[in-house]
Amino acid sequence: MIPAVPNATLCQEWEQTHHLLFHLGNLSLLLGLVIPTTLGLHMILLRLFLMTGCGLLIAWATLYRCNLDVMVWNVVFLVVNFMHLFFLLYKRRPIKIDRELRSVYKRMFEPLHVQEALFQRLTGQFCTIQTLKKGQAYAAEDKTSVDERLSILLKGKMKVSYRGHFLHNIYTNSFIDSPEFRSTEMHRGEKFQVTIMAEENCKFLCWSRERLTYFLESDTFLNEVFRYLIGKDITNKLYSLNDPTLSDKTVKKMDRQPSLCSQLSMMQMRNSMASTSDTDDVLNQILRGGSVGSSHQKSPGTKTSSKMKPIKEGMEDDVFEESAPSKSDRMPSTSTEDV
């Protein structure tokens, strides 16, 4: 009988434990894998532990085992992890924002968790920093198109007026033409209904509207950020119509300029003046001390212009509704009988 050959795959004897370097290398790999993902630097720490483990295994395979294949595989793992670590450190490099733009980032974008790298992409590709001297116009009513740009004032102060009558001021770290940008999103080819003039030497950040719109469509988060910032800026401008000095404490020491419409909202005033042919009458009514809506309420018999249309803004009230007929119009006429 031929004796049975024992199975060569079964361990007849266990070898002695490996060198301490082998155990330290595997312990380093284990620590890298159990790092919690909630840790801010968990990816960087993972790559560091994996690189340490691979280095220890390379030393063990070279010095104590003389095993070429183990050494080669760990060298490959070490190189791959080093490339990942370099990429992670490169992404976390400090972003240098221009000194002129840092105030805008700190004031407007950083509170909304916009990363510096994203802000740099937004301001570094398709926008320019432009200047205006005192007395120069950013936009002229009925002449400048609203389709060309969107701007944020970086330095100085601007004044918004209609036919020479003061409306409100624009201060630093605020949009210059946010109402026009929002109101003409669906309708292009319109002109500014107001004049925007530099009261001081001004510097502003200017985006090409077409390229900015295309960029925001590709980034949902930044698109929502801009919608919020523009809506907030329009709200601030509406408040500044009632108090032209609201946005700047230092201006309170100056003589307050009379606001053209202390009771009208910005969108109501601009749209009403643009939608009616009787703009001079509307202006005169406002200057006499009342809003368009109040003038209609005081004179029920006056009919509104057929060209006036209600404002298509959810937050705005329709100031062009015809007032209810007076009680004298609803009362039937009675005749007295002679006794």
Side-chain angles (χ1 to χ4, degrees):
M1 295 227 9
I2 301 175
V5 180
N7 190 353
T9 60
L10 296 177
C11 296
Q12 299 299 324
E13 287 186 18
W14 290 92
E15 295 182 3
Q16 294 181 353
T17 57
H18 292 294
H19 192 271
L20 181 62
L21 288 177
F22 176 80
H23 298 289
L24 291 177
N26 284 281
L27 179 61
S28 181
L29 298 178
L30 176 64
L31 291 176
L33 294 174
V34 298
I35 295 176
T37 57
T38 55
L39 204 62
L41 301 175
H42 75 280
M43 288 301 298
I44 293 179
L45 294 177
L46 170 63
R47 297 300 172 181
L48 286 174
F49 278 113
L50 293 180
M51 289 176 59
T52 303
C54 291
L56 293 173
L57 292 176
I58 290 173
W60 167 77
T62 305
L63 300 176
Y64 298 97
R65 296 294 295 180
C66 300
N67 197 323
L68 182 62
D69 53 350
V70 175
M71 184 194 70
V72 170
W73 276 112
N74 280 277
V75 168
V76 173
F77 297 150
L78 180 65
V79 172
V80 171
N81 283 284
F82 175 78
M83 294 174 63
H84 276 278
L85 177 65
F86 179 80
F87 177 72
L88 291 173
L89 294 177
Y90 176 77
K91 287 177 62 178
R92 297 182 67 88
R93 75 192 187 281
I95 303 297
K96 185 178 180 181
I97 300 177
D98 293 341
R99 184 180 61 180
E100 297 173 330
L101 303 179
R102 180 157 293 276
S103 175
V104 172
Y105 174 74
K106 292 290 185 181
R107 182 79 176 269
M108 301 177 65
F109 291 90
E110 188 179 39
L112 300 179
H113 307 288
V114 177
Q115 297 181 355
E116 292 182 345
L118 183 58
F119 180 76
Q120 190 180 47
R121 286 179 56 202
L122 176 66
T123 58
Q125 295 182 0
F126 43 86
C127 72
T128 57
I129 296 179
Q130 302 181 14
T131 59
L132 281 178
K133 294 183 179 180
K134 181 178 180 180
Q136 290 183 330
Y138 174 86
E141 55 189 272
D142 299 328
K143 294 181 180 180
T144 307
S145 174
V146 301
D147 298 337
E148 298 178 357
R149 55 188 175 176
L150 176 68
S151 304
I152 296 179
L153 186 60
L154 302 177
K155 180 182 178 182
K157 183 175 71 172
M158 292 185 174
K159 179 180 70 173
V160 182
S161 61
Y162 176 79
R163 295 190 179 180
H165 299 278
F166 174 76
L167 296 181
H168 62 87
N169 288 321
I170 299 176
Y171 302 96
T172 57
N173 298 326
S174 59
F175 287 94
I176 299 176
D177 42 8
S178 55
E180 287 75 17
F181 182 85
R182 175 63 62 84
S183 63
T184 59
E185 285 180 341
M186 301 301 295
H187 304 282
R188 298 299 180 91
E190 297 186 8
K191 305 294 183 181
F192 274 87
Q193 301 175 18
V194 295
T195 296
I196 304 177
M197 189 79 66
E199 282 205 322
E200 303 172 358
N201 292 334
C202 297
K203 185 176 294 185
F204 57 92
L205 180 68
C206 181
W207 282 281
S208 167
R209 176 168 181 164
E210 183 178 356
R211 298 184 64 181
L212 175 63
T213 303
Y214 179 78
F215 180 77
L216 294 180
E217 288 176 353
S218 63
D219 194 311
T220 306
F221 169 71
L222 202 57
N223 187 35
E224 293 300 321
V225 168
F226 259 80
R227 291 177 62 87
Y228 169 79
L229 290 175
I230 290 176
K232 180 181 178 182
D233 186 79
I234 293 176
T235 302
N236 292 336
K237 285 180 170 56
L238 294 177
Y239 276 110
S240 67
L241 286 174
N242 293 330
D243 185 0
T245 65
L246 187 62
S247 300
D248 193 348
K249 294 181 180 180
T250 60
V251 186
K252 291 182 179 179
K253 298 179 181 180
M254 303 170 58
D255 294 334
R256 292 177 55 179
Q257 304 183 57
S259 175
L260 174 63
C261 49
S262 59
Q263 300 178 14
L264 278 180
S265 71
M266 179 183 305
M267 296 303 299
Q268 289 172 338
M269 181 214 56
R270 292 187 182 179
N271 282 295
S272 64
M273 290 182 176
S275 59
T276 177
S277 59
D278 303 327
T279 54
D280 291 331
D281 297 337
V282 175
L283 182 60
N284 293 330
Q285 290 175 5
I286 296 173
L287 293 176
R288 285 197 298 265
S291 65
V292 179
S294 61
S295 65
H296 284 301
Q297 291 174 358
K298 291 178 181 179
S299 55
T302 305
K303 295 183 179 180
T304 58
S305 172
S306 59
K307 296 183 180 180
M308 285 189 178
K309 297 180 181 179
I311 301 165
K312 298 180 179 179
E313 290 286 340
M315 63 180 179
E316 303 288 344
D317 297 329
D318 188 0
V319 297
F320 304 112
E321 293 179 356
E322 293 191 8
S323 57
S326 60
K327 293 182 179 180
S328 60
D329 295 336
R330 293 197 302 265
M331 291 292 293
S333 58
T334 56
S335 58
T336 56
E337 296 181 358
D338 295 331
V339 179

